Amino acid sequence: MGKRRAGKELLRSLSKKQKKHLREFGEEHPFYDKVSGRPEATQICELSEDSDKSSAESDSEAEVEQVSGYHKLLATLKTSPESESEEDESESEEAEESEAEVDSEGSQEAGEGEGGEEDKNDVPGEEEATDTAEQMLSQGQADGTDPRHGAIEEFTDVKHESEFSLETNFMEEESGDYNADRRESSSSQALPEDPFKQHMDKELEEKEIEKMSTLPKTSSQSQWPRLGQLIFSSTLEKHKTLKADKEVDVKQLHLHKPLESTWPKVNKQFLSAVDKPTDSSFTPLQRELFCIMNSYRDLFYPERNALTNGEEIRHAYCLHALNHVLKANAQVLSNNAKRRDRKPGTDTDDHRDQGLTRPKVLMIVPFRECALRIVHILISLLEVNDKKKIDVSNKKRFKGEFGSDPEEKPPNLKRPEDYEAVFAGNIDDHFRIGVAILQKSMRLYAPFYSSDIIIASPLGIRTVIGAEGEKKRDFDFLSSIEILIIDQADIYLMQNWEHVLHLMKHINLLPLDSHGVDFSRVRMLNLNNWCKYYRQTLLFSALQDPQINSVFNKHCFNYTGQVAVCNVPLTGSISHVVVQLPHVFRRLEADSVTSVIDARFQFFIDKVLPEYRDAIMSHTLVYVPSYFDYVRLRNYFKKEDLNFTHICEYTKKAAVCRARRFFLKGEKQFLLFTERFHFYKRYTIKGIRNLIFYELPTYSHFYSEICNMLKATDNGVDATWTCTVLYSKYDAQKLAAVVGIDRTAQMLQSKKNVHLFVTGEND
């Protein structure tokens, strides 16, 4: 019985490849044989259904040899391409099933041979096994891998680990890229230093770290041709203000080898619309943005537009992120060869080229469609031509989960163009995926600790990080993020901004576990917990907002400084109101930002609402941007027994139709209407005669959209239409986006109510 149990233990210790070899040939691979003084005859037998058991019994006394250097070299051999992935998955599932059968049989034999007391002791073991399986499933789903798809442990993937492992691969194996990299480095000696090496190899002193933590930032302004007004800020005294390059030489950008040839082809679609292309690869906007990105400064660009420049910006930051990853991985592979070729006994500290964990780039995007487009851009940037296609693992699964079906969209819905651009494709907002890149191969659904790039939504990354007190949570993979890209930040205000704040609190913290890292290869900046001072943050939004500004100012510590685009709106969205409507802007006073919430509510119920209680002021829509303010107003209206109905983002479709019908017919005097509902639905509300903006809208064009809804009513009388807007001095950015910078300055200086009368479009 003891010999049989030892055979079971040995079988469980074998890898999938060893079990596969054992089933096919009836013996273990000769590499794992125990070396003895005399040669042993090899026994070959035909496999039966119980081959796993018999083979385990015959080899139960054999010991597995320790991993040698030759074994490590064998681990660098690549696995089969994507065409064999399905076969490998089926084989791995068979191996897991056979292992499960052996475990169950072994436990039954142990129970039969050792009596009932052993059965009682086995109960906690079963509970631990169940907990372990549940943990593997939840954590596997957290990092984009599912144990049911062949993952053995939380952050390991035996099938692809050796192929995409940075520690066990060498640049010589990648079709001569190592020599090409040497030629490139020697030819670029006359050019300025590579921004990547200049940024990552910079060794900060403790005095500089203390200065960045305590002293305020100094700022300077600059005017660029395309971006406009820029504000450069930095804590360190010695910082240089960038100048916009009128022309860009691709060679001077220090792009990695394949990107120099692929970028012009990938970006060609945007160059056709440029009137005077000064260079062959960048649009004017991309040229200035990439100039800032390539200097590794933090960037805040609040003028992203899904209709006009959204895809241009996405291509630019994908180029920068991929360029960073390829350079970092090439440095590791090159140092692998140097460490292999060094003389035994020599120990050097010159090969510190890694972080505490592998992920380097984190991309936060709102929807799956955005992740799909990013991956397509990365693939196209890596493919030099049609003949040299890169090997992409799990591509079919990725298209199925992140793609969309055109037939799912209702054909008769009419929405504004910006709505169609934002909500195109798969708009699921709960996802995360790891991407590993090694030379000419890309691996989708890579475990987080084996990934170079992580693409996730705020909700998707939030569920992995977890909350304090939860057992199943992990954020160690965020410890060594070197580039953080937050795209379309304005949409997260409509989703849940707390997820973004939660992410910023857990990024670049010291990991709780080593995760198998070689500390002799870890940079000193990571060991000193200074990674946040080297992290570059790229923040793109469609608008200026205090919450977005707060993240950029309080959670970004880049030692190279920050660049923010600050262009003031000249006209405002009120110029797009096409109906003749009097606008009354009523100012409320508040002592602080925190007290403005209560001050607005009190001002509304004391000064504004009494004017609309009369039955003559029917068909009044109250536009409420904040859901918390909406709940507060709804409860007050119920308490005062007012004749009202309400629509929010959580209202069911039948209740929405009922509320719209009651409001149109005049059966309900008031309609409480949330901004998030308008953002996600864009319904045209008919029957409006009186408008009250409880607070200025987050999106400035929502102001003109809501005002223009008044013309949707055929029986309305123009003279009875009214529009009232509440604002305070803390709403300066939103106010400027609606009425323009000149009127905003006058309205903030004066404490009186402002009356504006718009007679038509472009007034």
Side-chain angles (χ1 to χ4, degrees):
M1 182 65 66
K3 184 175 180 181
R4 183 176 182 84
R5 187 178 302 168
K8 307 297 182 184
E9 294 293 331
L10 178 60
L11 182 60
R12 284 195 291 268
S13 65
L14 298 179
S15 65
K16 292 181 180 179
K17 290 184 178 180
Q18 290 174 289
K19 291 178 182 178
K20 179 181 177 182
H21 192 278
L22 191 63
R23 291 196 306 271
E24 293 179 354
F25 300 98
E27 62 174 359
E28 290 187 59
H29 194 279
F31 172 75
Y32 302 100
D33 290 345
K34 182 179 178 181
V35 179
S36 59
R38 58 181 182 178
E40 297 181 359
T42 302
Q43 298 180 357
I44 303 177
C45 60
E46 296 182 357
L47 282 178
S48 61
E49 296 180 354
D50 299 330
S51 60
D52 289 345
K53 303 178 183 179
S54 60
S55 301
E57 292 177 0
S58 62
D59 297 334
S60 60
E61 298 179 358
E63 296 180 359
V64 179
E65 186 181 11
Q66 295 183 354
V67 178
S68 62
Y70 179 66
H71 186 196
K72 293 181 179 179
L73 289 177
L74 286 179
T76 64
L77 296 177
K78 292 188 175 181
T79 56
S80 57
E82 185 185 41
S83 59
E84 300 178 5
S85 60
E86 297 180 357
E87 180 181 356
D88 292 341
E89 289 179 1
S90 62
E91 292 174 353
S92 63
E93 291 175 357
E94 292 176 2
E96 290 177 357
E97 293 174 358
S98 63
E99 184 177 354
E101 293 175 0
V102 172
D103 291 341
S104 61
E105 292 176 2
S107 61
Q108 292 175 1
E109 292 177 358
E112 293 173 358
E114 298 181 9
E117 295 181 359
E118 194 70 26
D119 294 339
K120 295 180 181 180
N121 295 333
D122 284 343
V123 174
E126 294 175 358
E127 294 177 355
E128 292 177 1
T130 305
D131 294 340
T132 304
E134 293 177 355
Q135 184 176 6
M136 286 171 57
L137 177 61
S138 62
Q139 293 176 340
Q141 293 174 346
D143 66 344
T145 60
D146 192 335
R148 292 169 293 185
H149 287 83
I152 298 178
E153 298 178 5
E154 179 185 353
F155 299 115
T156 60
D157 187 350
V158 177
K159 184 173 141 182
H160 295 97
E161 202 65 31
S162 60
E163 178 182 353
F164 288 90
S165 175
L166 289 178
E167 290 77 11
T168 57
N169 279 281
F170 305 96
M171 193 171 289
E172 291 91 339
E173 299 179 2
E174 298 295 335
S175 304
D177 284 350
Y178 178 64
N179 295 329
D181 184 70
R182 284 184 170 179
R183 291 193 302 269
E184 181 181 350
S185 61
S186 62
S187 62
S188 62
Q189 291 179 356
L191 298 176
E193 188 178 357
D194 187 356
F196 167 78
K197 295 181 179 179
Q198 186 177 2
H199 179 72
M200 300 305 298
D201 294 345
K202 168 75 174 178
E203 295 183 2
L204 295 176
E205 300 178 358
E206 293 186 4
K207 295 181 180 179
E208 295 176 319
I209 298 296
E210 184 178 358
K211 184 184 296 185
M212 286 187 289
S213 303
T214 57
L215 297 181
K217 298 176 182 179
T218 59
S219 60
S220 61
Q221 297 184 3
S222 178
Q223 188 74 21
W224 283 26
R226 179 61 179 83
L227 294 179
Q229 187 75 19
L230 302 184
I231 297 180
F232 295 83
S233 59
S234 175
T235 305
L236 300 181
E237 297 179 0
K238 298 180 180 179
H239 70 280
K240 300 179 181 180
T241 302
L242 280 177
K243 294 183 179 180
D245 296 329
K246 296 182 179 180
E247 296 183 3
V248 175
D249 186 3
V250 179
K251 295 182 180 180
Q252 293 182 354
L253 296 177
H254 295 274
L255 296 179
H256 201 261
K257 180 189 174 184
L259 302 181
E260 290 185 3
S261 58
T262 58
W263 170 249
K265 300 177 183 178
V266 174
N267 201 49
K268 186 178 180 181
Q269 55 180 318
F270 305 109
L271 300 175
S272 59
V274 181
D275 296 332
K276 297 180 180 179
T278 55
D279 60 83
S280 59
S281 56
F282 289 89
T283 65
L285 175 62
Q286 289 175 333
R287 181 171 62 249
E288 296 184 7
L289 287 176
F290 192 80
C291 180
I292 300 174
M293 295 179 193
N294 206 32
S295 67
Y296 281 89
R297 287 174 169 85
D298 293 340
L299 172 63
F300 176 35
Y301 182 71
E303 299 178 9
R304 186 193 190 280
N305 191 308
L307 281 173
T308 57
N309 58 16
E311 290 304 313
E312 286 185 59
I313 295 173
R314 180 178 284 123
H315 277 69
Y317 71 66
C318 284
L319 172 66
H320 176 61
L322 185 58
N323 187 40
H324 179 87
V325 169
L326 292 178
K327 288 181 179 179
N329 290 352
Q331 187 180 26
V332 174
L333 298 179
S334 177
N335 288 337
N336 288 346
K338 295 177 182 178
R339 288 169 61 90
R340 180 196 59 184
D341 298 338
R342 70 184 180 184
K343 297 180 181 179
T346 59
D347 192 10
T348 179
D349 201 37
D350 298 336
H351 300 147
R352 294 191 176 273
D353 49 17
Q354 302 177 20
L356 290 168
T357 52
R358 179 170 173 178
K360 308 171 186 65
V361 178
L362 175 62
M363 295 183 178
I364 302 298
V365 291
F367 306 118
R368 286 182 180 262
E369 174 68 18
C370 305
L372 179 70
R373 296 183 183 184
I374 288 174
V375 171
H376 286 170
I377 295 172
L378 297 178
I379 293 175
S380 59
L381 286 174
L382 289 173
E383 292 182 344
V384 179
N385 50 48
D386 296 337
K387 296 181 180 179
K388 295 183 179 180
K389 296 285 187 180
I390 65 169
D391 182 19
V392 181
S393 304
N394 303 318
K395 189 174 182 180
K396 184 177 180 181
R397 175 189 170 190
F398 174 74
K399 289 183 178 180
E401 295 183 2
F402 284 78
S404 60
D405 187 2
E407 298 180 357
E408 295 178 356
K409 183 179 178 181
N412 297 326
L413 289 180
K414 294 182 179 180
R415 296 290 183 268
E417 292 182 354
D418 64 295
Y419 179 91
E420 298 291 346
V422 170
F423 293 98
N426 191 334
I427 57 173
D428 178 29
D429 63 349
H430 189 188
F431 64 91
R432 52 194 169 265
I433 183 172
V435 181
I437 299 173
L438 194 64
Q439 301 289 324
K440 297 178 177 60
S441 300
M442 176 182 291
R443 174 185 174 198
L444 303 176
Y445 295 96
F448 278 2
Y449 289 99
S450 300
S451 302
D452 297 301
I453 302 175
I454 296 175
I455 309 172
S457 64
L459 177 60
I461 206 73
R462 173 66 173 80
T463 53
V464 181
I465 296 175
E468 187 175 356
E470 295 182 3
K471 294 182 179 180
K472 299 176 182 179
R473 59 180 309 210
D474 183 26
F475 48 86
D476 286 356
F477 58 89
L478 300 173
S479 62
S480 299
I481 295 296
E482 297 165 359
I483 296 180
L484 171 63
I485 301 173
I486 303 179
D487 194 11
Q488 297 176 270
D490 54 286
I491 296 181
Y492 311 141
L493 297 173
M494 299 293 109
Q495 294 177 347
N496 194 334
W497 188 252
E498 291 296 326
H499 296 335
V500 179
L501 299 179
H502 196 72
L503 165 65
M504 302 307 295
K505 293 177 182 177
H506 290 82
I507 195 171
N508 294 133
L509 300 178
L510 283 176
L512 303 177
D513 192 8
S514 62
H515 301 284
V517 66
D518 182 3
F519 286 98
S520 64
R521 302 286 296 272
V522 179
R523 297 187 184 96
M524 293 304 300
L525 66 95
N526 297 93
L527 297 177
N528 293 331
N529 196 22
W530 292 350
C531 190
K532 66 178 181 179
Y533 299 107
Y534 289 78
R535 186 192 76 232
Q536 181 188 30
T537 304
L538 305 178
L539 190 57
F540 303 98
S541 172
L543 50 88
Q544 294 261 10
D545 189 86
Q547 298 182 82
I548 301 176
N549 296 340
S550 176
V551 167
F552 188 71
N553 295 327
K554 295 183 179 180
H555 295 278
C556 299
F557 311 94
N558 194 343
Y559 78 89
T560 57
Q562 298 175 321
V563 181
V565 179
C566 298
N567 295 318
V568 293
L570 299 178
T571 56
S573 62
I574 195 172
S575 61
H576 298 118
V577 177
V578 297
V579 296
Q580 294 184 1
L581 179 67
H583 304 260
V584 180
F585 290 83
R586 307 186 66 171
R587 175 168 176 169
L588 58 95
E589 298 298 330
D591 298 332
S592 62
V593 179
T594 55
S595 63
V596 73
I597 299 176
D598 294 331
R600 179 180 289 109
F601 176 75
Q602 202 65 34
F603 184 86
F604 176 79
I605 62 176
D606 293 342
K607 302 291 183 65
V608 179
L609 188 59
E611 300 176 0
Y612 290 85
R613 283 178 176 266
D614 197 327
I616 300 176
M617 305 297 289
S618 61
H619 297 274
T620 300
L621 184 141
V622 183
Y623 182 90
V624 189
S626 172
Y627 179 77
F628 300 104
D629 290 335
Y630 160 80
V631 173
R632 191 175 188 178
L633 289 175
R634 184 192 62 188
N635 295 339
Y636 179 80
F637 277 38
K638 288 182 178 180
K639 180 181 177 181
E640 295 295 320
D641 197 20
L642 296 178
N643 183 22
F644 81 103
T645 185
H646 52 88
I647 298 176
C648 71
E649 55 272 22
Y650 303 111
T651 306
K652 295 182 179 180
K653 188 174 181 179
V656 171
C657 296
R658 188 163 54 249
R660 294 174 66 186
R661 185 176 66 255
F662 288 161
F663 183 72
L664 175 62
K665 294 182 178 180
E667 298 179 12
K668 299 294 182 180
Q669 183 177 355
F670 294 95
L671 172 61
L672 297 181
F673 188 77
T674 63
E675 183 176 68
R676 290 178 65 187
F677 177 83
H678 183 67
F679 174 80
Y680 284 107
K681 299 299 183 181
R682 297 289 187 92
Y683 288 169
T684 299
I685 305 299
K686 297 182 179 181
I688 304 175
R689 295 182 184 176
N690 304 288
L691 265 177
I692 300 177
F693 285 91
Y694 186 78
E695 184 181 357
L696 285 163
T698 304
Y699 290 89
S700 60
H701 63 275
F702 283 2
Y703 184 86
S704 58
E705 284 186 14
I706 299 296
C707 290
N708 291 331
M709 287 182 184
L710 275 71
K711 69 177 182 179
T713 305
D714 297 330
N715 57 354
V717 181
D718 295 359
T720 62
W721 289 347
T722 64
C723 178
T724 302
V725 185
L726 308 186
Y727 75 97
S728 69
K729 62 181 180 180
Y730 301 105
D731 299 325
Q733 290 180 337
K734 295 181 179 179
L735 188 60
V738 172
V739 301
I741 187 62
D742 295 333
R743 286 174 175 170
T744 300
Q746 298 174 2
M747 295 168 65
L748 294 179
Q749 291 177 0
S750 175
K751 295 185 178 181
K752 298 180 180 179
N753 296 334
V754 178
H755 297 258
L756 299 177
F757 187 78
V758 178
T759 58
E761 191 173 5
N762 297 328
D763 180 59

